[in-house]
Amino acid sequence: AQTVTQSQPEMSVQEAETVTLSCTYDTSESDYYLFWYKQPPSRQMILVIRQEAYKQQNATENRFSVNFQKAAKSFSLKISDSQLGDAAMYFCAYRSFGSGGYNKLIFGAGTRLAVHP
Amino acid sequence: NAGVTQTPKFQVLKTGQSMTLQCAQDMNHEYMSWYRQDPGMGLRLIHYSVGAGITDQGEVPNGYNVSRSTTEDFPLRLLSAAPSQTSVYFCASSRAGSYNEQFFGPGTRLTVL
């Protein structure tokens, strides 16, 4: 069974600085998807970024980028130029590629990010 | 386009009571699912559906029932509430396929006394 581990329960960063959130996962599959979700105090789950395991190029979405190390089974999220609105809980998630049918999202326990002015 | 809606936003139940959490989506998504979020544990899948009339169990299905009579609606029923079911519940929907983004509802905070 696949597992996702986020070893940093809490992180903090100064506004305009860069922060990296860690995520490791365990799987025997070769094809899969990885996601980072943001959950602000409003509780809404928001997709930040996703990565296909078969792509070597790291995904980037504006100030958010990932460092995907497939051999090490590591998928960290880098937030550049941090803003007050980035303060939230961040969840790393894994999803099997699958050949059809439903594949569940497997979430890590989350990292709470505080942004200080 | 309202996306995924959930009602109620908050609910307090007594042990043994039953209730239904409502979920609806207006994006014509094939897949719908229910998760619960507990402190320190992330989100865990309760039940899911790949289309009208088709449902299956997720990781933590005990104490919950679902049905899907239409593409739009996917209610979650608590048969006899227990304090262990105190949690935040999220409904999500997506197009078929693992790559596609899951859209989440705003969540329901349930407390069972």
Side-chain angles (χ1 to χ4, degrees):
Chain A
Q2 297 85 17
T3 58
V4 177
T5 302
Q6 293 179 250
S7 58
Q8 307 154 316
E10 295 180 349
M11 293 281 284
S12 66
V13 65
Q14 293 294 128
E15 201 174 4
E17 296 294 309
T18 295
V19 65
T20 299
L21 308 184
S22 300
C23 173
T24 58
Y25 58 94
D26 189 27
T27 184
S28 59
E29 299 174 332
S30 58
D31 289 327
Y32 47 87
Y33 300 102
L34 296 165
F35 305 84
W36 278 98
Y37 279 88
K38 171 185 178 181
Q39 187 181 44
S42 67
R43 218 166 56 196
Q44 183 70 47
M45 294 287 287
I46 303 164
L47 178 65
V48 175
I49 199 166
R50 57 186 151 185
Q51 173 82 42
E52 298 99 309
Y54 59 85
K55 286 189 177 179
Q56 293 186 338
Q57 186 174 3
N58 290 325
T60 299
E61 289 287 344
N62 300 314
R63 298 182 295 107
F64 298 87
S65 61
V66 298
N67 184 4
F68 173 50
Q69 302 287 330
K70 190 172 183 179
K73 297 179 183 175
S74 171
F75 183 59
S76 60
L77 175 69
K78 185 172 82 171
I79 306 174
S80 304
D81 186 25
S82 296
Q83 301 175 359
L84 295 177
D86 295 333
M89 182 73 88
Y90 287 82
F91 292 97
C92 179
Y94 172 103
R95 198 171 196 185
S96 297
F97 178 80
S99 58
Y102 186 89
N103 292 294
K104 68 178 181 180
L105 271 172
I106 300 168
F107 286 88
T111 296
R112 185 171 301 281
L113 177 67
V115 181
H116 302 294
Chain B
N1 192 337
V4 181
T5 57
Q6 290 183 237
T7 55
K9 286 188 169 52
F10 300 93
Q11 183 71 47
V12 178
L13 292 178
K14 294 181 179 178
T15 297
Q17 287 184 316
S18 62
M19 79 159 295
T20 299
L21 306 185
Q22 301 292 343
C23 174
Q25 52 94 6
D26 61 359
M27 297 173 282
N28 203 31
H29 285 167
E30 297 89 345
Y31 289 177
M32 295 188 75
S33 50
W34 277 101
Y35 294 85
R36 60 178 287 172
Q37 182 181 14
D38 300 297
M41 299 188 72
L43 278 73
R44 292 180 294 166
L45 182 66
I46 303 171
H47 285 285
Y48 66 92
S49 169
V50 299
I54 306 170
T55 64
D56 207 344
Q57 295 181 352
E59 190 181 352
V60 287
N62 292 340
Y64 308 95
N65 273 358
V66 292
S67 61
R68 192 158 175 211
S69 56
T70 67
T71 299
E72 295 78 19
D73 300 300
F74 191 44
L76 177 72
R77 297 181 185 84
L78 279 70
L79 308 172
S80 177
S84 61
Q85 294 178 304
T86 294
S87 189
V88 179
Y89 292 85
F90 288 95
C91 179
S93 75
S94 70
R95 302 199 68 82
S98 292
Y99 178 76
N100 291 307
E101 177 180 355
Q102 285 208 0
F103 292 85
F104 286 82
T108 296
R109 181 177 292 279
L110 175 68
T111 301
V112 182
L113 303 176

